[in-house]
Every structure is written in structure tokens, then in C-alpha cells.
Amino acid sequence: MAQTNMVQILVTILLLVLVAGEAATTPPGIAKKTWLCNLQECDRPGAVCQDPRFIGGDGITFYFHGKKDSNFCLVSDPNLHINAHFIGRRNHNMKRDFTWVQSIAILIDYHQIYVGAQKTATWEDSIDRLALSFDGEPITLHESEGAKWKSSTVPVVSIVRTADTNSVIVEVEGKLRITAKVVPITEEDSRIHRYGITREDCFAHLDLGFKFFSLSNKVSGVLGQTYKPDYVSRVDIGAQMPVMGGVKEFETTSLFSPDCSVARFVGNNGSNNEIEMVEDLKLPSMRCISGIDGEGVVCRR
């Protein structure tokens, strides 16, 4: 036990040193995402980050590339539907696009919530690039950590800033909680992955984390299907980059349209007595030597 704790402490110290080094060597005006932030926000079940990298409710990591300038259903349930709009660049050396999630639309009963990243050329952390709306009406949040907006509807929808700019928690009472952060593609990201990002557009996009409180056993969607009790992953988990197919299966005609071929959404509280609800989802818990722990976590070498 003492040896394990010592390893965890050494790993944490190493990460802090690497992050400090990155902060010291990155030129002013160049955006950066730290490893610690990625560990905290993007390595948990329900994460949708980067290009896009998913961690399912079963704890399995996979990629769903979709295609640029298109919309796909992430979650579809009788009273909840979530679509994502993908932006990207054509990868001429491969048979797919480089893609990122630019915005999401949440349909809950009769209501619509929009969370998006505004297009920007030059990134500055101090400039807010979040766009928010509820039932088509723009939401304005004071640019200070803790600023809160709350609906007068049932279920109650609340949005709270977790930083002065570009980061919020969206919660639908009794249904779900979403962490959303606007991030750019940095010059370093582009160089490493050969994205070909130019100074005209840094492809600001969303890093997302989903927590669901009440899903039916019929839930579907790129991410939603992984929360079904009987779900068996169809990706090759032994591959270096496990990819989820199904572009045609999950594509929708617009961001607010619940019309993918696997749609379950009916609205109006999703009244269907024949569908059992998966309340308070419980996933296997594990602690990795890296210090990452929690329900549904999968440790990797």
C-alpha cells in the first residue's frame, strides 16, 4: 500500500513539473490545455473531448469521427435527446475528416437548450466564446466564476460558470449534468496531429462531460447506447484507435432535429410505461496507478 501511494505521489509531481514547464515555455497568446485538466475532465465515463474521443458508460474509450459540417445524435431517450454539430477539416491523406464538437442541442420534454463555441481566429483565455440559449432566447451570464442562470420551467434548468469565461455546468434537475468548456486547437496540437490549422480559424470547440441521472433501458445514440444494461461494445478495444462506425445511423438533418434512425425521443416527459428506467446508474469502480479513479474508469498502460 505504501509503495502504491509513493508511486501515485511521484506521478502527480511529474505531471505538475511537466505542466509548469509547458506554461513557462509557451509563447504569450498561444492557448494551452494542461494534462491535469484533461485527466480531470476528459478521462471519465461520459467524456466527449478532442477529435472526438468518447468514454462510454461502460468505461470503454472510442472515437467517433462523423464528418465535418454535420449533426449527430449523441443521446436519444424518450424524454431526452442530445445532438452535436461537428466542425472540421478535410484530411486528404485519410478517408475521413478531422472533426470536433462545435455545439450541442439538448431537447428535454418541450424545451431546447443550446451550448456552443463561437468561431474565432485568435484565441485569448480572457475572452468568452461561449454561446448559450434556452428555447431560442439567448442567455447572458456575467463573466465571473459562480455566475448563475436558472429557468422558471419544470424540470428546472440551471447554468453556472465554473471560470470567468468559457466554462460552465449545465444541469437539468433530476435528468443530467453537463460540464462544457470551450477550447481551441493550439499550434502545438496542429503540428503534432497535422491538422493544418491556419491563423484564420483556431477551430474553437467543446470539451464535454456528461453525467446522467435517469436513462431508460432503450437509450441510444453514439454515447447513449453505452449506458444500456445489456450493451456490448462493437469497437475493437485492442486497436490503437478504436473507432465507432455508424455515420448514417446517427446523423440528423439539423442540430435540433431528433430524427436519427435510432431516435427514441417523444418529448412530453417521455410517457411510456413499457420502458424501464435505469435510475442512479452504477458502474464498476477502479483506481489506476496514475491516480485516476471512479466508476467506469478503465486503466491503460
Side-chain angles (χ1 to χ4, degrees), residues 56-232:
D58 55 1
I60 293 177
T61 298
F62 63 92
Y63 291 80
F64 177 80
H65 300 299
K67 57 184 179 180
K68 68 184 184 74
D69 304 323
S70 299
N71 306 285
F72 299 92
C73 64
L74 302 187
V75 178
S76 191
D77 214 27
N79 66 341
L80 173 66
H81 188 97
I82 304 173
N83 286 340
H85 179 71
F86 283 31
I87 55 173
R89 288 180 60 86
R90 185 62 185 171
N91 181 354
H92 297 290
N93 298 320
M94 302 175 69
K95 295 181 180 180
R96 66 171 179 85
D97 298 327
F98 290 125
T99 52
W100 301 275
V101 174
Q102 179 269 332
S103 58
I104 58 172
I106 306 156
L107 312 182
I108 185 81
D109 299 339
Y110 293 120
H111 302 291
Q112 299 178 343
I113 306 165
Y114 172 85
V115 181
Q118 299 177 32
K119 183 176 180 179
T120 183
T122 303
W123 181 265
E124 293 289 346
D125 287 338
S126 61
I127 299 176
D128 193 45
R129 296 298 183 183
L130 263 173
L132 305 164
S133 72
F134 181 72
D135 288 345
E137 294 296 325
I139 295 172
T140 302
L141 275 177
H142 185 67
E143 292 185 11
S144 63
E145 183 176 352
K148 183 175 182 179
W149 174 91
K150 188 175 181 179
S151 74
S152 58
T153 61
V154 177
V156 174
V157 177
S158 63
I159 302 176
V160 180
R161 285 196 187 273
T162 54
D164 290 348
T165 58
N166 297 310
S167 185
V168 294
I169 292 177
V170 179
E171 183 161 354
V172 180
E173 188 177 31
K175 302 293 184 182
L176 80 160
R177 181 186 303 121
I178 304 171
T179 59
K181 183 176 183 180
V182 180
V183 293
I185 299 298
T186 67
E187 291 185 5
E188 183 70 4
D189 290 335
S190 184
R191 183 187 65 80
I192 292 173
H193 300 287
R194 300 180 181 178
Y195 291 144
I197 301 301
T198 66
R199 294 185 180 276
E200 285 72 38
D201 190 350
C202 69
F203 282 83
H205 61 281
L206 298 175
D207 276 353
L208 300 159
F210 294 89
K211 174 71 174 178
F212 302 102
F213 304 132
S214 179
L215 293 174
S216 80
N217 62 354
K218 301 296 184 181
V219 64
S220 191
V222 178
L223 177 65
Q225 63 185 343
T226 67
Y227 286 85
K228 290 194 294 189
D230 59 350
Y231 178 71
V232 177

Side-chain angles (χ1 to χ4, degrees), residues 249-265:
E249 180 181 359
F250 300 115
E251 190 170 8
T252 65
T253 56
S254 71
L255 182 59
F256 286 95
S257 298
D259 58 1
C260 57
S261 65
V262 295
R264 303 284 187 265
F265 186 70

Side-chain angles (χ1 to χ4, degrees), residues 14-15 18-19 22 33-40 43:
L14 177 60
L15 288 172
L18 289 170
V19 169
E22 181 185 84
K33 293 182 287 183
T34 67
W35 288 10
L36 289 181
C37 178
N38 287 340
L39 285 174
Q40 293 171 353
D43 284 325

